[in-house]
Amino acid sequence: MFLAGYILVPGSHYAGMWRHPYSETDFCDPDLFKDTAVTLERGGFDLAFIPESLSVTTGLNDDYETFLKHGAVGAIRHDPNLLVSLMASVTRTLGFTVTLSTTYMEPYHLARTLSTLDHFSRGRISWNVVTSAGPSNGHNFGHFPKLVSPEAYDRAEETLEVCRQLWRSWEPDALIADKAAGLYADTGKIRPIDHRGTRFTLRGPLSLPAGPDGEPILMSVGVSQRGRDFSAKWVDVVFAIQADAEGMSELRSDVRRRAAELGRDPEKLFLLTAVQPIIGETEAIAKARAEYLDELIHPDVAIAFLSGMLGIDATGCDPDTPIEEVLELAAGKSSGKAAVDGGAAFPWLDRIREEDRNRSWSLKEIAVRMARSTSTPRLVGTPEQVADQLEAYFLAGACDGFVITPTHFPGSFDEFSRSVVPILRKRGHVRGATQEPLTLRQRLGL
């Protein structure tokens, strides 16, 4: 069972994270992230997962002020390369997932950056490949052509082709450094790539040898049909945000099937799913903590976030308006998704309603319900109960591990490490503590 810690501030999948009394708030303090890395490594985690967006969080009507004002997810975005470099410098065994965009970054820059990180971390780097095709990301890259999803994936495919050529442009024994002979490198083992494709023309070779793992572990998050094909062809790990075991299992099985059809070993393609543990000394305490967390979510942020999911601007509505009236209002203004069958186009909305069919859900209640976890499963209970829930997902074959999303930062990771990890370790699901400096490829068995 692989474990990753989700490093996203000031909010995570839980929109009120920074307001928690146990959370740090100075997210520009380098020592905070060093301490977090040490906590994850000491606690038995395999990875620190660094997500990325190339703009401040932006909702409908180009609104970013609400999200910044109330500290929503991604209101602070560090350069992921520098953040990983900082955290790797104080750890020996913890792996890192750095998220970098193929839409707004050049292949040579990506290949060199990732090789440098792989060298400096001694082989502990993975690349979460994203396309960044949303309009808000493009605000800061106006000189790039605007790409919709198929074109963005086409660019991503060629980017990976070029990166792999660059990583392989040095043979493993090309670097000689023979002082007596005055021979530093065997140029017969370093080749240009001479790539001339649809989007890129590169001579190569890369300006440094490939890292200890040859090339980084590749990850992706796509769940569309094209995204699944992309994952099946290229990546080693799929990161999923699925609300239930059925969704996790379907995605894992489908991507593995597609990988097998391409001649890949499906057993070497893993799925890590996001979960949000809320742990209490007793079940009652855990449930009380979950209710308390809901109280910390600012309704303006929740409604702005929900507006983006619905595709309509609900920020001007009374928060106590029944959600059905909001959808009816949308149906009168738009021919888009919100007008379809009273919201039936949104499976997540129907899942919330199923919790209590006799309840008249208000706009605010639905919004807070989504802002508290972003469809990430909430695991509420004692350490034993949380371990039971993780074990159930794992043994059912729904996933190969978990990305722990915090409710307070960075204390959630320490809390999980001290209370849940020992139980999972005792049951044989999590490896014991090790000081052996394995590469990430070795750690994942790839």
Side-chain angles (χ1 to χ4, degrees), residues 273-338:
T273 190
V275 293
Q276 184 188 91
I278 301 174
I279 306 164
E281 291 83 351
T282 67
E283 184 176 357
I285 292 174
K287 290 180 177 179
R289 285 179 175 169
E291 293 177 3
Y292 171 71
L293 291 174
D294 290 353
E295 297 173 5
L296 297 180
I297 298 172
H298 198 287
D300 288 355
V301 168
I303 293 173
F305 175 69
L306 183 66
S307 293
M309 298 187 71
L310 293 173
I312 60 168
D313 185 3
T315 57
C317 297
D318 185 327
D320 293 325
T321 303
I323 189 64
E324 285 75 13
E325 292 184 20
V326 176
L327 294 172
E328 289 172 7
L329 177 65
K333 293 182 177 180
S334 169
S335 60
K337 292 188 295 182

Side-chain angles (χ1 to χ4, degrees), residues 350-414:
D350 204 48
R351 280 195 296 269
I352 295 174
R353 287 165 161 164
E354 283 292 336
E355 294 177 10
D356 188 349
R357 275 292 176 183
N358 297 319
R359 179 175 179 175
S360 178
W361 292 88
S362 71
L363 169 63
K364 176 183 175 181
E365 289 171 333
I366 293 291
V368 169
R369 178 65 175 73
M370 288 306 299
R372 74 186 193 183
S373 68
T374 322
S375 291
T376 299
R378 263 187 164 187
L379 311 183
V380 182
T382 64
E384 194 83 22
Q385 289 171 326
V386 170
D388 289 344
Q389 293 174 78
L390 294 172
E391 183 179 56
Y393 284 132
F394 183 65
L395 294 182
C399 62
D400 302 284
F402 303 93
V403 178
I404 305 302
T405 65
T407 58
H408 52 286
F409 188 90
S412 284
F413 300 131
D414 192 54

Side-chain angles (χ1 to χ4, degrees), residues 105-405:
M105 296 182 181
E106 293 291 306
Y108 188 89
H109 174 74
L110 288 164
R112 186 172 66 169
T113 296
L114 289 159
S115 282
T116 300
L117 287 173
D118 204 34
H119 279 292
F120 288 177
S121 68
R122 293 184 169 87
R124 293 183 283 140
I125 296 299
S126 61
W127 174 18
N128 181 35
V129 184
V130 295
T131 57
S132 303
S136 63
N137 290 299
H139 292 164
N140 300 316
F141 298 88
H143 55 290
F144 276 79
K146 299 296 184 290
L147 299 180
V148 295
S149 183
E151 295 171 316
Y153 272 115
D154 290 342
R155 180 182 167 96
E157 296 259 9
E158 189 174 345
T159 296
L160 284 179
E161 290 174 7
V162 173
C163 285
R164 281 196 165 162
Q165 291 178 62
L166 289 167
W167 288 324
R168 296 170 183 178
S169 62
W170 289 60
E171 293 185 21
D173 57 348
L175 191 58
I176 299 172
D178 185 336
K179 292 184 178 182
L183 185 62
Y184 185 72
D186 184 345
T187 55
K189 297 180 179 181
I190 305 172
R191 295 176 295 274
I193 66 171
D194 293 323
H195 177 89
R196 284 168 174 75
T198 304
R199 294 160 188 82
F200 307 114
T201 300
L202 285 86
R203 188 198 69 176
L206 197 62
S207 61
L208 75 165
D213 264 345
E215 58 189 66
I217 299 288
L218 297 181
M219 298 181 65
S220 68
V221 296
V223 296
S224 66
Q225 296 305 307
R226 181 64 189 274
R228 294 177 185 218
D229 284 339
F230 182 86
S231 296
K233 178 179 179 180
W234 291 102
V235 310
D236 308 290
V237 181
V238 176
F239 170 51
I241 301 175
Q242 295 287 327
D244 51 41
E246 290 74 19
M248 299 173 200
S249 183
E250 186 277 329
L251 177 60
R252 179 176 183 264
S253 298
D254 186 49
V255 175
R256 283 188 162 196
R257 175 188 60 79
R258 297 177 193 226
E261 290 174 354
L262 295 173
R264 297 185 60 197
D265 181 356
E267 299 298 320
K268 295 293 186 180
L269 202 159
F270 304 126
L271 185 139
L272 303 185
T273 190
V275 293
Q276 184 188 91
I278 301 174
I279 306 164
E281 291 83 351
T282 67
E283 184 176 357
I285 292 174
K287 290 180 177 179
R289 285 179 175 169
E291 293 177 3
Y292 171 71
L293 291 174
D294 290 353
E295 297 173 5
L296 297 180
I297 298 172
H298 198 287
D300 288 355
V301 168
I303 293 173
F305 175 69
L306 183 66
S307 293
M309 298 187 71
L310 293 173
I312 60 168
D313 185 3
T315 57
C317 297
D318 185 327
D320 293 325
T321 303
I323 189 64
E324 285 75 13
E325 292 184 20
V326 176
L327 294 172
E328 289 172 7
L329 177 65
K333 293 182 177 180
S334 169
S335 60
K337 292 188 295 182
V340 180
D341 192 21
F346 309 104
W348 51 266
L349 180 56
D350 204 48
R351 280 195 296 269
I352 295 174
R353 287 165 161 164
E354 283 292 336
E355 294 177 10
D356 188 349
R357 275 292 176 183
N358 297 319
R359 179 175 179 175
S360 178
W361 292 88
S362 71
L363 169 63
K364 176 183 175 181
E365 289 171 333
I366 293 291
V368 169
R369 178 65 175 73
M370 288 306 299
R372 74 186 193 183
S373 68
T374 322
S375 291
T376 299
R378 263 187 164 187
L379 311 183
V380 182
T382 64
E384 194 83 22
Q385 289 171 326
V386 170
D388 289 344
Q389 293 174 78
L390 294 172
E391 183 179 56
Y393 284 132
F394 183 65
L395 294 182
C399 62
D400 302 284
F402 303 93
V403 178
I404 305 302
T405 65

